[in-house]
Amino acid sequence: MFYYLSGTVAHIAPFLAVIDCGGVGYACKTTNYTLGTIQKGEQAKLFTYLSVKEDAVDLYGFSTQEELNLFQLLLSVSGVGPKAALSILSSSTPSNLALSIITGDVKTLTAAQGVGKKIAQRIVLELKDKLAKEQGVSFESASPLPAAGTVIPEDKAGEAGAALAVLGYSQSEINKALRGIDMASLTLEEVIKQALARMMK
């Protein structure tokens, strides 16, 4: 129903941002990450997700499409509701969270309040499968084509590509963003951050 809200930040509270759009204040449940990107009294644009249940209608807002994509992916996991998804997204940046899912880093996921080891393991298992089936991405298929004369460690390229795919980027966008990055001297997290910086320009 709502794709995004664009207006003035009227109020900020823990896990909540109110966006004034033409005199109407929309209360958006959100993450610490998004709250860190907006300021009261300034203009903001939040990508939204509307949750409609028998006893409640809640609006969720995120500063980037990538964070919204991760929120929706987390909701697709059995046993993960909006509250847990917000907690998980609030415990890390979208890129670090995607990296944790791809690499099976359960410890990072359990750092989120209310998320136990079993739920974290389920998130890794179900999102890896979902990624492979729906987006056709695996560590092997996600390896980008190297630039001429560049040797790229395929395992690192594949994991970086898969992490970016979790964030909703297409294979062509991933290939372009990763091309030419010096993967041999960078950590996986640094590779992903450089690629994200290129795609956000």
Side-chain angles (χ1 to χ4, degrees), residues 3-5 17 19 28-35 37-38 44-50 59-72 74-75 82 85-87 89-90 94:
Y3 187 76
Y4 66 79
L5 296 176
I19 308 298
C28 298
K29 294 185 177 182
T30 190
T31 65
N32 290 335
Y33 178 81
T34 288
L35 290 175
T37 67
I38 62 177
K45 180 178 180 179
L46 298 185
F47 295 92
T48 57
Y49 175 88
L50 184 64
L59 189 62
Y60 297 84
F62 306 93
S63 60
T64 65
Q65 184 70 58
E66 292 74 30
E67 192 177 22
L68 171 60
N69 290 342
L70 272 175
F71 178 74
Q72 293 175 305
L74 287 169
L75 291 184
L86 284 185
S87 178
L89 286 166
S90 291

Side-chain angles (χ1 to χ4, degrees), residues 43-190:
Q43 292 292 303
K45 180 178 180 179
L46 298 185
F47 295 92
T48 57
Y49 175 88
L50 184 64
S51 173
V52 180
K53 298 180 179 180
E54 290 184 4
D55 58 346
V57 177
D58 294 312
L59 189 62
Y60 297 84
F62 306 93
S63 60
T64 65
Q65 184 70 58
E66 292 74 30
E67 192 177 22
L68 171 60
N69 290 342
L70 272 175
F71 178 74
Q72 293 175 305
L73 277 173
L74 287 169
L75 291 184
S76 72
V77 177
S78 176
V80 178
K83 185 176 180 179
L86 284 185
S87 178
I88 293 168
L89 286 166
S90 291
S91 68
S92 184
T93 65
S95 59
N96 285 345
L97 177 58
L99 179 60
S100 298
I101 293 170
I102 291 300
T103 58
D105 184 2
V106 172
K107 185 177 180 180
T108 295
L109 294 174
T110 55
Q113 185 176 359
V115 178
K117 187 175 181 181
K118 288 185 178 180
I119 289 293
Q121 290 173 332
R122 190 180 303 155
I123 288 171
V124 170
L125 177 63
E126 292 191 23
L127 292 191
K128 275 189 175 181
D129 289 346
K130 189 178 183 69
L131 181 65
K133 292 176 181 177
E134 294 188 5
Q135 300 185 26
V137 177
S138 65
F139 289 165
E140 292 77 14
S141 66
S143 298
L145 297 174
T150 302
V151 178
I152 295 179
E154 291 189 3
D155 56 342
K156 189 180 292 185
E159 291 189 12
L164 292 168
V166 168
L167 294 174
Y169 291 105
S170 68
Q171 192 60 52
S172 60
E173 290 175 319
I174 292 170
N175 287 350
K176 184 178 179 180
L178 291 178
R179 194 183 303 275
I181 291 180
D182 184 11
M183 297 195 185
S185 62
L186 299 175
T187 66
L188 183 56
E189 182 179 344
E190 289 170 339

